[in-house]
Amino acid sequence: MRITKLLGILVAAAAMFVSAAQAAKIGETAPDFKLLDIKGKEVSLGDFPDQVVVLEWVNYGCPFVKKFYNEGHMQAMQEAAKEKGVVWLSICSSAPGNQGHMTADEWVDAAKGKGVNANVLIDEKGEVGKLYGAVTTPHMFVIDEKGVLAYNGAIDSVKSTKTADIATAKNYVVAAYESVLDGGSVESAITKPYGCSVKY
Amino acid sequence: MIRFFKLAAVFLISSASTLFAQEFETGEVDREHARVELVSEIDQVATGDTFDVALRFDMIDHWHLYWTNPGDTGMPPSVEWIVPEGVTVGELEFPTPERILTEPFVSYAYEGEVFFLSKVSVGEDVDVSNGLRIQVVANWLACADICVPGDANLQLDITGGENSSESKWSDVISETRASQAQPIAAGMQFEVLENSISLSINWAGLEGESFEDLYFYAEQEGVVDSAKKQTYSQNGSTVIISLPKSEYFSGSVEKLSGILYNKSGFSAVGGSQAIFVDSEMEAGSIVEATSSIEATSASPENESDLTLGKALVFAFLGGLILNLMPCVFPILSIKIMGFVQQSGEDKKKVFSHGLAFTVGVLVSFWALAGTLIALRSTGDRLGWGFQLQSPEFVAVLLVIMFVFGLSLMGVFEFGTSAIGLASKVKGSGYGSSFFSGVLATAVATPCTGPFMGPALAFALSLSALQSLTVFSVLALGMAAPYLILSANPKLVEALPRPGAWMETFKQAMAFPMFATCVWLVWLMGAHVGVDGLAGVLGGLLILSIAAWAYGKWSAPHRKPTTRRVSMIVSLVIAVAGLWMLYPKSSDTEGTVATSGAKSADKYGLVWETFSPELVASLRAEGKPVYIDFTAKWCLTCKANKTVVFNSEEVKDRFEELGVVLVKADWTKRDPVITDALESFKRSGVPLNVLYTGTENGEPLLLPELLKPSIVLDALDKI
């Protein structure tokens, strides 16, 4: 039992090492992926050519994620993005048995309960999370119309679990996709993400 | 119960404003993952007391709290204090954290029992005879595999009493206080490299210290990658730590501060395991650190042997001597002619001119000193005469000298004035006296090096105010003869009367000018090489043609059209001459010796100059090649060389294995070297590469921060 756990850690560490070496880089083509969404439909980055895509790493059990979902802030951001033609994909990389992991059916209920309309993709093997180097929940990525990674980092500038702080924080994700839509360059293209660790 | 608190926590988070309406609890409170309590080192409090209180957490196994910089993920606890007026509570003091692995992430955090201290001061006019109530609203994030935010409103009542007495927490609080990282006025410098940040800490307490699990906890977030290993090298009292750069590092980092941890303890601070260092702690100590790195490579002993008093005397004498320098002497002669003319005038007026001149000299020296101080603070270590490292500056000076010389010779005259550039110098207004002071200084700087070296080096090692003093005295020394002459008109009267001899004297003065030009041309040679020099001399020739044409056809007795045409023609010729003479960027790299040239460094190692062809041919011959990509402005490169090339073992192995050493000096941005760096996917130095000599063998890229063992290990692969 112990040996399997140790092996597990080694494999995970090796996977992390490999993924860190290939982790998505600003200004380079964002790596493509294929995942099943919570309705069982296959979704890949290639499905959205010529569209700006936001990736959000999510875990409903994490207090930093709750900060944005409990009073509807994240849902509102997702709707606002949709209105501007921006694709929003939430990805859950929690491994089975770890916090935040849910089956597709549980996800459908949970998302409905929170009034979430954005699509949620299940990455229980953590492959896509490691491909992008997702560290925290939330951890945000913005990909431009040409498929190039334009933003990697925190959701906003105030690191806390308090919903009240959202109002005073600078939202990096909205700033990033708006710059991309305007054809300009993203001012802070890389920031340190904050939140709970992704439960690989 | 737990559920209730969970609910309460959610409620509190969602409505922060209601926090203060909450009840405060006394004693130890139970939270989901920790028992929390506000404790004090004293039981009784009196007016004027200063004591420690502590927020004590007793964490459930595997749950942790975070340091100010939490590392990969997490968030430090925060507090808000509520105390009576006149009582102050200091900032929350975080103990030295541990590195906690929740694979694959590493956090800077605490497990088990942890005390966060704060200093409480009771003001002299605060009555605490009825006791003191301290309240705190604490918020924290506790994580194990998952994270849960926690909060508590805690209260502590201390009874009033004349004799402040120790509480049961007093021992553990003073232990915590004693183990707190002690601030050290260490010299600290850092350099941001491609994949790492090279941090150099210079402190006497590091000399001869043995390290175990040495680690630097940076306070700044998102700068250092907490999940990667740090390496270090030790050299005397300096330790250089290579901090792996965070993936989220962007832009620049202004300062670095944090805790240096050594498991086996620092004996200089009584065996304490942690010291606190800050790159902005003390400007003086940073300079010290720089010079100690330099000290191992250069020999600036003479800098510190001079006391300030001696330096001032040297500066004054140096200033006096400046007047005899060939580059100043012509100005002197002009000025003396000025005095000769003025000698018939009002004595007061003459002295005022002397003063104006002195101010001109002073102001110019201050401007120079200010520039030097500013440059020094940006990290460039420049000595006196640094302007002469700039070929552009030398070129401008050369043109001024040469044109000035031609004019003195009588080849041409600027307008009606006898001496072109000196027209203002020769004028009678105070402005002209001031200007001649400025000109004298500008022209004098190239000559000061050999005389003023030690005094100026000393000045640069002083505080800004002290170096300004040295520069001022230097200026006064230079202006002294003029001031004395103008104050004692009798001496001026003793000077010869103006007459025909002045024209001869003026022409003779052209020769020191041209002598200075010879010296400046020689200096240019060092920058532009032999071919570049031909261009410089050619440019001077064309410039002299322009001057001659101007002098011949622009004289006042010529027809206005002739004068206008000649002025335009000579201007065009002059511009052509200047263009030819001005150092081109390709010329400035002309000094780079031809590829393969050998030169021995101060470590006794013979280096060949880098070129891709050389490396290719050496590899084809099957020889092992060690390439050092370096630059003079790169501190880490210097530190690497000091540590590695002083090692006899490394030198012996180089010789045994017949390794060919190749140096790629990137001090001037050489495109060939830039391309070579890019071929190794690097954009900067230091980079050390070893080709093991096997055909088509992959090159070994050594880490940015080197120590002998790393190089020896690499050499073992040959």
Side-chain angles (χ1 to χ4, degrees):
Chain A
M1 188 58 200
R2 217 177 222 179
I3 287 173
T4 41
K5 195 174 180 191
L6 190 72
L7 274 176
I9 291 173
L10 279 174
V11 168
M16 195 58 205
F17 182 77
V18 170
S19 69
Q22 306 170 332
K25 279 196 179 127
I26 297 294
E28 290 179 11
T29 304
D32 199 2
F33 56 82
K34 249 183 221 161
L35 286 174
L36 291 181
D37 69 12
I38 56 179
K39 286 162 197 152
K41 196 183 137 214
E42 197 177 81
V43 175
S44 86
L45 198 55
D47 297 345
F48 312 103
D50 308 321
Q51 268 183 295
V52 177
V53 179
V54 172
L55 303 183
E56 172 215 347
W57 258 262
V58 69
N59 169 358
Y60 284 170
C62 165
F64 292 93
V65 174
K66 289 177 184 167
K67 167 186 175 184
F68 290 94
Y69 276 100
N70 281 2
E71 290 181 29
H73 289 88
M74 190 71 94
Q75 293 88 324
M77 272 168 67
Q78 292 165 348
E79 288 305 315
K82 197 177 171 183
E83 276 168 29
K84 297 205 168 183
V86 173
V87 177
W88 190 293
L89 299 173
S90 303
I91 300 177
C92 179
S93 294
S94 294
N98 281 353
Q99 189 199 45
H101 179 267
M102 287 187 270
T103 62
D105 290 342
E106 287 168 339
W107 261 110
V108 171
D109 289 344
K112 196 182 271 174
K114 289 188 190 297
V116 172
N117 289 323
N119 204 357
V120 183
L121 313 182
I122 300 176
D123 176 39
E124 60 183 21
K125 287 180 186 157
E127 283 165 349
V128 177
K130 284 163 187 170
L131 190 61
Y132 275 80
V135 177
T136 61
T137 51
H139 189 162
M140 311 297 295
F141 296 85
V142 177
I143 299 161
D144 73 12
E145 298 98 326
K146 291 181 192 116
V148 173
L149 190 66
Y151 178 75
N152 168 4
I155 183 162
D156 67 15
S157 61
V158 179
K159 177 176 174 172
S160 82
T161 55
K162 289 182 192 159
T163 306
D165 290 331
I166 296 174
T168 54
K170 176 177 163 37
N171 191 304
Y172 293 128
V173 178
V174 174
Y177 77 63
E178 281 184 350
S179 307
V180 169
L181 288 174
D182 289 349
S185 63
V186 179
E187 195 189 336
S188 2
I190 191 159
T191 63
K192 194 191 174 219
Y194 73 84
C196 310
S197 57
V198 176
K199 312 302 178 200
Y200 289 116
Chain B
M1 191 65 183
I2 286 170
R3 186 165 245 178
F4 167 76
F5 278 118
K6 244 186 176 171
L7 276 172
V10 168
F11 175 70
L12 285 176
I13 288 161
S14 52
S15 51
S17 57
T18 60
L19 270 177
F20 293 96
Q22 294 298 307
E23 290 288 311
F24 282 81
E25 295 173 87
T26 308
E28 191 180 80
V29 301
D30 218 349
R31 290 293 184 268
E32 203 171 346
H33 309 292
R35 286 191 297 278
V36 196
E37 186 176 4
L38 181 60
V39 298
S40 159
E41 65 170 337
I42 56 170
D43 261 345
Q44 273 186 32
V45 65
T47 296
D49 274 357
T50 296
F51 57 97
D52 278 324
V53 293
L55 196 57
R56 171 185 163 264
F57 284 87
D58 194 4
M59 307 298 295
I60 307 272
D61 280 357
H62 307 302
W63 285 81
H64 48 261
L65 294 172
Y66 295 94
W67 188 52
T68 42
N69 168 12
D72 274 329
T73 59
M75 196 171 65
S78 64
V79 289
E80 272 175 69
W81 299 94
I82 303 160
V83 286
E85 205 172 315
V87 177
T88 56
V89 186
E91 263 184 61
L92 202 64
E93 298 171 46
F94 288 71
T96 306
E98 293 170 60
R99 276 150 282 159
I100 294 173
L101 174 81
T102 358
E103 38 86 18
F105 307 113
V106 173
S107 302
Y108 297 154
Y110 312 96
E111 289 187 339
E113 190 179 37
V114 52
F115 292 82
F116 297 95
L117 302 185
S118 252
K119 266 257 176 289
V120 177
S121 304
V122 182
E124 290 295 342
D125 48 0
V126 180
D127 178 18
V128 288
S129 55
N130 293 324
L132 172 66
R133 172 167 287 184
I134 302 170
Q135 293 175 322
V136 65
V137 177
N139 281 282
W140 66 86
L141 181 77
C143 297
D145 293 331
I146 61 167
C147 299
V148 174
D151 65 277
N153 299 344
L154 302 168
Q155 175 172 305
L156 173 69
D157 287 303
I158 308 174
T159 40
E162 276 313 301
N163 309 312
S164 53
S165 69
E166 293 180 351
S167 78
K168 65 167 177 167
W169 298 105
S170 132
D171 285 349
V172 66
I173 287 179
S174 40
E175 266 170 44
T176 309
R177 167 74 52 208
S179 66
Q180 213 79 310
Q182 203 174 317
I184 296 293
M188 209 168 131
Q189 276 207 320
F190 58 92
E191 198 170 17
V192 179
L193 307 173
E194 183 112 3
N195 302 313
S196 65
I197 295 163
S198 178
L199 169 71
S200 139
I201 302 173
N202 178 259
W203 173 48
L206 297 174
E207 178 107 47
E209 185 65 85
S210 60
F211 301 123
E212 190 188 346
D213 190 22
L214 192 76
Y215 194 87
F216 180 73
Y217 291 96
E219 282 191 312
Q220 290 69 30
E221 258 191 80
V223 173
V224 177
D225 188 336
S226 57
K228 289 194 185 126
K229 233 184 122 199
Q230 301 183 355
T231 57
Y232 69 93
S233 77
Q234 187 178 11
N235 180 31
S237 59
T238 303
V239 167
I240 299 179
I241 307 174
S242 177
L243 308 170
K245 207 156 83 177
S246 164
E247 216 186 308
Y248 301 101
F249 178 89
S250 59
S252 61
V253 53
E254 301 279 306
K255 72 170 249 170
L256 263 186
S257 56
I259 295 176
L260 184 65
Y261 171 83
N262 175 19
K263 197 174 180 185
S264 57
F266 296 99
S267 41
V269 284
S272 169
Q273 286 183 324
I275 57 171
F276 180 85
V277 287
D278 185 339
S279 64
E280 283 179 355
M281 188 116 65
E282 203 181 305
S285 60
I286 294 169
V287 174
E288 248 171 58
T290 323
S291 52
S292 77
I293 289 178
E294 295 283 295
T296 49
S297 50
S299 54
E301 289 89 1
N302 48 357
E303 283 183 21
S304 49
D305 285 351
L306 275 171
T307 63
L308 183 60
K310 266 190 198 166
L312 292 181
V313 173
F314 272 122
F316 189 80
L317 288 176
L320 271 180
I321 293 170
L322 286 186
N323 286 303
L324 303 176
M325 291 293 106
C327 31
V328 191
F329 202 59
I331 305 284
L332 180 81
S333 70
I334 295 156
K335 209 53 215 162
I336 288 174
M337 287 194 283
F339 281 131
V340 168
Q341 283 182 345
Q342 288 160 6
S343 59
E345 294 173 16
D346 182 6
K347 284 170 191 172
K348 265 188 190 164
K349 218 173 166 189
V350 174
F351 183 60
S352 304
H353 275 289
L355 277 179
F357 177 86
T358 308
V359 172
V361 175
L362 263 175
V363 167
S364 329
F365 268 84
W366 286 339
L368 265 169
T371 313
L372 276 179
I373 289 164
L375 283 170
R376 184 185 63 184
S377 65
T378 64
D380 282 336
R381 283 186 60 82
L382 297 167
W384 189 238
F386 72 92
Q387 325 90 316
L388 298 178
Q389 288 165 7
S390 146
E392 290 80 8
F393 182 88
V394 177
V396 168
L397 211 59
L398 179 60
V399 168
I400 292 176
M401 286 292 167
F402 184 67
V403 171
F404 206 169
L406 288 178
S407 179
L408 282 168
M409 265 301 179
V411 172
F412 75 103
E413 290 177 351
F414 281 110
T416 52
S417 164
I419 299 156
L421 189 61
S423 60
K424 282 197 168 162
V425 178
K426 218 188 145 200
S428 57
Y430 295 126
S432 75
S433 292
F434 176 84
F435 180 72
S436 58
V438 173
L439 185 69
T441 313
V443 171
T445 49
C447 302
T448 54
F451 290 86
M452 295 309 302
L456 287 163
F458 178 72
L460 286 174
S461 69
L462 299 172
S463 70
L465 185 72
Q466 284 169 317
S467 27
L468 267 183
T469 315
V470 170
F471 274 83
S472 304
V473 171
L474 188 63
L476 288 177
M478 185 166 162
Y482 302 93
L483 209 55
I484 291 167
L485 274 176
S486 58
N488 298 282
K490 273 183 192 166
L491 287 176
V492 180
E493 278 162 18
L495 289 171
R497 295 263 138 207
W501 65 270
M502 278 182 69
E503 190 54 31
T504 319
F505 180 70
K506 193 188 78 172
Q507 284 170 5
M509 275 298 122
F511 296 109
M513 277 293 169
F514 293 137
T516 311
C517 288
V518 170
W519 180 66
L520 288 171
V521 166
W522 174 76
L523 268 183
M524 282 288 272
H527 289 289
V528 300
V530 175
D531 293 344
L533 215 51
V536 169
L537 291 172
L540 286 183
L541 175 71
I542 292 174
L543 212 56
S544 70
I545 294 172
W548 170 76
Y550 177 79
K552 188 146 187 76
W553 287 289
S554 237
H557 62 272
R558 297 279 178 184
K559 274 186 257 165
T561 357
T562 318
R563 286 175 64 184
R564 222 170 289 139
V565 169
S566 83
M567 212 176 300
I568 292 164
V569 169
S570 50
L571 193 70
V572 169
I573 300 176
V575 167
L578 287 173
W579 177 81
M580 190 164 167
L581 183 149
Y582 198 77
K584 326 283 183 292
S585 58
S586 59
D587 287 346
T588 56
E589 276 149 21
T591 46
V592 175
T594 41
S595 154
K598 292 185 184 187
S599 59
D601 66 5
K602 58 177 169 291
Y603 306 105
L605 292 167
V606 178
W607 294 88
E608 307 218 14
T609 305
F610 175 84
S611 74
E613 297 78 24
L614 173 76
V615 173
S617 75
L618 286 170
R619 288 185 64 200
E621 288 169 42
K623 283 184 184 162
V625 183
Y626 182 91
I627 314 173
D628 178 17
F629 289 90
T630 184
K632 291 197 174 69
W633 36 259
C634 161
L635 279 178
T636 309
C637 302
K638 237 173 232 172
N640 280 343
K641 286 191 220 324
T642 311
V643 173
V644 173
F645 301 138
N646 267 329
S647 153
E648 290 301 322
E649 223 182 325
V650 171
K651 284 195 251 186
D652 288 349
R653 288 291 283 164
F654 274 147
E655 202 172 314
E656 263 172 55
L657 297 164
V659 178
V660 181
L661 303 174
V662 176
K663 178 171 286 177
D665 189 336
W666 205 44
T667 305
K668 288 172 183 164
R669 306 240 158 172
D670 181 333
V672 176
I673 295 176
T674 309
D675 288 348
L677 282 168
E678 270 169 17
S679 73
F680 294 112
K681 297 200 164 57
R682 295 296 182 93
S683 59
V685 290
L687 173 64
N688 289 265
V689 178
L690 180 69
Y691 286 101
T692 54
T694 49
E695 213 179 325
N696 299 324
E698 281 296 305
L700 291 172
L701 303 191
L702 305 187
E704 279 160 345
L705 182 64
L706 292 181
K707 46 185 171 178
S709 59
I710 294 174
V711 179
L712 289 171
D713 283 351
L715 290 174
D716 282 345
K717 289 177 186 142
I718 292 180

